[in-house]
């Protein structure tokens, strides 16, 4: 491609709308333009990158026997009602764009395709002989993200590869899951990314496994906890660890103490000169279930620990049926406004204890009249502990479960693992923290959707069974930007060779010099002829501008037909290292082609 004929507009200044380096660079280098919040036009250079990523994804997926298809983006509400997700996706998480058409039918723009694919399976899969089966697609997804940001990293319209597999049993599902683990690792490696596969939360569905593929980068919205021995890595949402040992309590007798201005664990521990591990802290949450039922939840946990809200959400979702619902819609720490809605009298915030009386809850409609009391494991074994008195300014010390406080019936694990904790697999290892960008997620779904939609098959023994399912997603557009986030310098993008929009840029420093122009054109033609993807910068611009632009757009190799032409030589610059060398005009094409082949081979 000749640059003089391209829509090629670069910016010298960082655009104000961008916060992270990759977003700034893709805008500055003319790869994309923002059209609306979280909505981008993918311009020709970026489209080439996206296609290259898609090709690598296809290659790896096809190699496993998965088959590509394309499912509708416009999806009928009935399917989502059958799975029970219409309300959660249009109201609770509110992530699905939904609309009513001219015939008054409700439809949505697909944020994901479990419902559609399961309906197809219900229709077309009859027998175990058709299984296992794996279909995938590469397509634009729509999600009304509450905070679209960082360009392609969190868009409201983005490209995803999503695949769904169907099986007779868990053994078959696990085999495909393992294959996907390898395929995803290959995809990321071939795209030139450094990544980590981490244990991930699989929600209340449970299932025996879910792995996220994280690209480590400071801009990542996820936190990854890992050990240096390489044997453990998990999303903080899912991570487990050993809490530090509690310090034995120094209080021997139950009493109420005047503890003015101690609403936080830190202030209380300082005032009482005790360890936060001797304190039982009580955190209030408000849960809303899908039948509208609101439940106030009181979690008792050791003072030095924090509640992991993902784990808590999973526990509460399991209790949905107990409250007459099927799932939980929302979980929040009630703010002052929320408290006014349900509290019969002012709450002793900062001084609450596990026995907070139920008469704090007014008799409002839809309100569960009793607190749901949960005890985290870390609080279970504490003796003679410190906790609130339900009266501002006072705490009790020397308290015990079964004496002053009733131990909640539900003992759960909802504590958040943190950096510095000891690892379960080897307590001499401590958890380290890193930021990650989630690029892919593979998931053993089980029978959640097949049961809900009635997608069954006849087994070898003639039984009618629900299909076992797995699902596997890669964010193609997110991956493109993550690659930049991982590879750039002060001058611009440094694309890995495998996903660079072009492999070589041939630059003519002086368009007025016929020899330069002719030599460049000849090299450019030769490159194209042997299958190298090349750009020719034949614009009427100063040499300095051309060099700057070439660096900014991040093409791996630059060939310059400059002064050295007199000696029959051209200059070759490697973008990643800046290493420059003069090479004979006659050798340059073969040399650069050799480098490219070598790089591509190394990551295959
Ligand atoms: P996140 O936690 O980042 O919101 P998710 O768990 O919602 O991701 P999935 O539903 O598993 O993501 O989707 C599969 C993949 O699609 C993700 O791993 C990610 O790479 C990509 N993806 C998800 N949401 C977005 C988005 N808003 N913009 C760009 N890519 C996205
Ligand atoms: Mg999401």
């Amino acid at each position: 491609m000749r640059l003089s004929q391209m829509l090629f507009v670069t910016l010298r200044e960082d655009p104000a709308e961008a916060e992270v380096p990759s977003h700034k660079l893709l805008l500055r280098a003319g790869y994309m333009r923002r059209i609306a919040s979280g909505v981008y036009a993918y311009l020709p250079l970026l489209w080439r990158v996206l296609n290259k990523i898609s090709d690598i994804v296809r290659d790896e997926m096809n190699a496993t026997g998965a088959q590509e298809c394309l499912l509708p983006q416009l999806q009928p509400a009935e399917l989502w009602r059958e799975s029970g997700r219409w309300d959660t996706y249009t109201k609770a998480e509110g992530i699905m764009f939904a609309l009513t058409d001219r015939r008054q039918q409700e439809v949505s723009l697909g944020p994901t395709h479990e419902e559609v694919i399961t309906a197809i399976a219900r229709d077309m899969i009859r027998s175990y002989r058709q299984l296992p089966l794996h279909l995938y697609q590469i397509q634009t997804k729509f999600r009304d993200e509450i905070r679209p940001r960082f360009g392609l990293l969190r868009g409201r319209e983005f490209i995803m590869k999503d695949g769904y597999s169907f099986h007779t049993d868990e053994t078959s599902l696990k085999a495909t899951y393992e294959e996907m683990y390898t395929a995803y690792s290959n995809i990321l490696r071939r795209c030139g990314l450094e990544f980590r596969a981490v244990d991930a939360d699989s929600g209340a569905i449970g299932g025996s496994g879910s792995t996220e593929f994280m690209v480590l980068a400071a801009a990542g919205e996820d936190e990854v906890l890992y050990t240096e021995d390489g044997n453990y890595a998990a999303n903080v949402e899912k991570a487990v660890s050993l809490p530090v040992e509690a310090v034995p309590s120094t209080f021997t007798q139950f009493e109420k103490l005047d503890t003015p201005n101690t609403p936080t664990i830190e202030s209380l521990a300082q005032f009482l000169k005790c360890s936060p591990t001797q304190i039982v802290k009580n955190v209030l949450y408000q849960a809303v279930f899908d039948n509208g039922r609101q439940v106030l939840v009181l979690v008792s946990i050791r003072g030095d620990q924090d509640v992991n809200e993902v784990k808590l959400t999973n526990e509460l979702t399991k209790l949905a049926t107990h409250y007459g619902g099927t799932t939980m819609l929302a979980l929040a720490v009630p703010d002052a406004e929320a408290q006014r809605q349900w509290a019969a009298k002012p709450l002793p915030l900062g001084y609450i204890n596990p026995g907070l009386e139920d008469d704090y809850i007014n008799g409002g409609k839809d309100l569960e009249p009793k607190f749901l009391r949960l005890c985290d494991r870390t609080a279970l074994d504490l003796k003679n502990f410190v906790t609130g008195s339900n009266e501002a300014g006072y705490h009790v010390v020397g308290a015990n479960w079964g004496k002053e406080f009733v131990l909640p019936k539900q003992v759960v694990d909802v504590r958040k693992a943190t950096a510095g904790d000891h690892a379960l697999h080897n307590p001499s290892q401590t958890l380290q923290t890193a930021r990650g960008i989630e690029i892919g997620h593979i998931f053993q779904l089980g029978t959640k959707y097949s049961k809900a939609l009635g997608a069954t098959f006849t087994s070898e023994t003639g039984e009618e069974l629900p299909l076992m399912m797995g699902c596997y997603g890669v964010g193609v557009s997110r991956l493109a930007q993550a690659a930049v986030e991982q590879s750039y310098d002060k001058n611009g993008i440094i694309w890995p060779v495998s996903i660079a929009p072009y492999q070589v840029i041939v630059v003519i420093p002086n368009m007025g010099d016929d020899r330069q122009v002719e030599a460049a054109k000849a090299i450019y033609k030769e490159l194209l002829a042997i299958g190298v993807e090349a750009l020719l910068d034949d614009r009427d611009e100063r040499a300095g501008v051309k060099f700057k632009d070439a660096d900014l757009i991040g093409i791996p190799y630059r060939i310059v037909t400059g002064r050295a032409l007199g000696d029959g030589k051209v200059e070759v610059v490697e973008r990643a290292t800046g290493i420059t060398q003069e090479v004979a005009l006659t050798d340059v094409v073969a040399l650069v082609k050799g480098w490219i082949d070598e790089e591509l081979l190394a990551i295959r």
Side-chain angles (χ1 to χ4, degrees):
M1 185 73 208
R2 288 162 54 182
L3 232 55
S4 61
Q5 300 177 333
M6 269 175 66
L7 172 64
F8 186 76
V9 181
T10 56
L11 311 172
R12 289 286 157 251
E13 301 297 326
D14 279 338
E17 67 183 90
E19 293 164 62
V20 296
S22 54
H23 187 196
K24 290 179 189 164
L25 287 170
L26 287 172
L27 288 171
R28 271 188 56 201
Y31 280 79
M32 62 190 198
R33 276 288 184 279
R34 178 182 178 276
I35 299 300
S37 169
V39 178
Y40 288 84
Y42 312 135
L43 298 173
L45 285 177
L46 182 59
W47 186 236
R48 288 182 68 96
V49 174
L50 294 170
N51 279 325
K52 286 197 167 182
I53 297 169
S54 298
D55 285 345
I56 292 173
V57 169
R58 270 195 190 96
D59 203 41
E60 290 295 332
M61 294 304 293
N62 294 347
T64 68
Q67 283 188 75
E68 188 170 359
C69 63
L70 190 58
L71 304 172
Q73 282 158 311
L74 215 48
Q75 305 188 2
E78 301 93 76
L79 280 181
W80 287 78
R81 292 224 158 84
E82 280 188 65
S83 72
R85 289 208 294 183
W86 181 260
D87 283 344
T88 37
Y89 268 66
T90 56
K91 291 189 199 124
E93 294 164 35
I95 211 167
M96 186 155 68
F97 288 100
L99 55 132
T100 307
D101 67 17
R102 285 191 285 182
R103 288 170 300 145
Q104 301 308 308
Q105 303 290 314
E106 283 176 300
V107 287
S108 65
L109 293 177
T112 180
H113 280 71
E114 283 83 3
E115 281 76 1
V116 170
I117 198 84
T118 309
I120 292 168
R122 171 174 65 191
D123 233 31
M124 300 184 68
I125 299 177
R126 294 267 166 269
S127 152
Y128 70 93
R129 285 192 205 90
Q130 294 167 278
L131 298 170
L133 188 76
H134 186 170
L135 297 179
Y136 76 94
Q137 59 172 347
I138 299 175
Q139 177 196 62
T140 294
K141 294 280 188 267
F142 298 89
R143 292 186 184 181
D144 194 359
E145 298 279 0
I146 190 113
R147 281 217 298 165
R149 55 187 194 150
F150 302 156
L152 305 180
L153 293 185
R154 188 166 297 284
R156 295 198 301 161
E157 181 179 322
F158 58 95
I159 302 175
M160 194 203 288
K161 185 283 316 193
D162 49 328
Y164 308 86
S165 67
F166 298 91
H167 310 267
T168 54
D169 55 26
E170 211 170 318
T171 315
S172 166
L173 167 60
K174 287 219 159 91
T176 297
Y177 182 79
E178 290 303 321
E179 264 177 8
M180 283 305 112
Y181 190 104
T182 309
Y184 273 43
S185 303
N186 291 345
I187 290 167
L188 291 179
R189 190 174 36 75
R190 287 179 60 183
C191 289
L193 292 173
E194 278 198 48
F195 67 97
R196 219 176 253 274
V198 309
D199 289 352
D201 172 56
S202 31
I205 308 174
S208 30
S210 143
T211 302
E212 285 169 346
F213 292 80
M214 296 281 189
V215 162
L216 302 183
E221 290 185 279
D222 283 288
E223 185 184 356
V224 173
L225 294 175
Y226 65 96
T227 55
E228 229 120 61
D229 65 4
N231 290 330
Y232 185 72
N235 189 314
V236 67
E237 294 176 354
K238 167 81 178 179
V240 289
S241 65
L242 294 169
V244 294
E245 286 276 304
V247 175
S249 175
T250 46
F251 300 100
T252 48
Q253 150 182 354
F254 180 75
E255 55 183 325
K256 180 172 163 183
L257 298 180
D258 187 359
T259 55
N261 303 318
T262 56
T264 63
I265 295 295
E266 204 193 349
S267 55
L268 177 63
Q270 221 168 43
F271 184 88
L272 291 177
K273 298 192 173 50
C274 72
S275 156
T277 62
Q278 300 168 4
I279 301 172
V280 170
K281 119 174 131 181
N282 304 282
V283 196
L284 203 52
Y285 285 95
Q286 185 164 1
V288 185
F289 291 93
D290 57 343
N291 57 345
R293 201 81 190 142
Q294 305 212 23
V295 179
L296 294 152
V297 185
L298 194 59
V299 183
S300 299
I301 189 166
R302 208 172 76 186
D304 62 318
Q305 303 294 319
D306 286 315
V307 175
N308 176 330
E309 292 184 3
V310 174
K311 290 184 181 174
L312 180 59
T313 297
N314 293 342
E315 292 298 334
L316 294 173
T317 305
K318 285 190 228 159
L319 293 172
T321 49
H322 179 83
Y323 294 106
T326 57
T327 185
M328 193 184 68
L329 290 189
L331 177 72
V333 173
D335 58 12
E337 175 54 33
Q339 288 167 31
R340 266 196 294 280
Q341 304 287 322
W342 60 263
K345 49 188 175 177
L347 289 155
L349 295 175
Y351 301 89
I352 290 178
N353 75 30
L356 187 69
E357 295 87 1
D358 291 325
D359 65 7
Y360 274 98
I361 305 174
N362 70 30
K365 187 175 152 289
D366 285 335
L367 262 184
E368 187 66 20
K370 290 187 165 170
F371 287 106
L372 166 63
R373 294 166 206 272
L374 301 175
C375 178
D376 180 75
R377 290 229 173 83
T378 52
L380 180 64
D381 296 329
L382 296 187
K383 307 263 183 296
N384 292 320
F385 56 77
V386 176
T387 194
S389 67
N390 292 342
E391 187 182 337
Y394 295 89
H395 282 87
V396 298
V397 300
N400 284 284
W401 298 115
K403 278 176 83 183
E404 292 81 13
F405 295 104
V406 178
L407 179 69
K409 271 196 225 85
Q410 261 122 348
V411 178
V412 290
D413 172 17
V414 292
R415 92 173 243 282
K416 190 173 167 194
T418 48
D421 286 350
H422 295 284
L424 280 179
H425 75 279
N426 176 356
S428 74
Q429 293 279 318
T430 52
L431 296 187
Q432 315 284 314
T433 177
R435 305 302 301 178
I437 303 171
E438 180 199 321
I439 296 298
H441 194 172
I442 61 174
F443 202 101
Q444 298 179 29
L445 277 176
T447 53
K448 176 181 154 103
Y449 295 96
S450 53
K451 274 190 180 145
L453 275 83
T456 60
F457 71 101
T458 309
S459 77
E460 220 173 330
T461 54
E463 263 180 296
E464 189 82 358
L465 297 172
L467 289 160
M468 220 4 126
M469 289 175 62
C471 71
Y472 321 92
V474 180
V476 170
S477 47
R478 184 184 280 187
L479 190 158
Q481 190 176 319
V484 178
E485 195 60 35
Q486 221 173 43
S487 178
Y488 66 90
D489 65 13
K490 63 180 195 320
N491 298 322
I493 299 170
I494 303 173
W495 286 111
V497 175
S498 59
I499 61 171
Y502 291 91
Q503 297 160 334
V504 179
I505 180 165
V506 183
V507 178
I508 307 167
N510 178 3
M511 288 301 290
D513 181 336
D514 288 347
R515 245 188 24 187
Q516 287 192 10
V517 175
E518 288 320 309
K521 281 188 177 165
I523 293 170
Y524 171 66
K525 273 199 186 136
E526 249 186 274
L527 286 169
L528 295 186
I530 57 166
V532 173
E533 299 165 29
L535 275 177
L536 177 66
D537 192 350
D538 57 349
R539 294 174 300 163
D540 238 336
E541 287 284 357
R542 282 180 296 115
V545 171
K546 292 185 174 185
F547 296 153
K548 270 211 168 70
D549 279 342
D551 277 349
L552 181 60
I553 65 175
I555 307 301
Y557 300 105
R558 175 166 101 210
I559 300 174
V560 186
T561 55
R563 285 196 199 96
L565 264 187
D567 308 325
K569 288 183 174 169
V570 289
E571 193 180 80
V572 183
V573 186
E574 186 183 25
R575 174 67 186 88
T577 58
I579 293 174
T580 304
Q581 42 188 298
E582 287 189 352
V583 177
L585 198 52
T586 44
D587 297 342
V588 69
V589 168
L591 181 74
V592 172
K593 165 85 167 132
W595 288 340
I596 292 167
D597 289 347
E598 206 176 299
E599 292 238 12
L600 293 179
L601 206 65
I603 52 168
R604 267 207 83 91

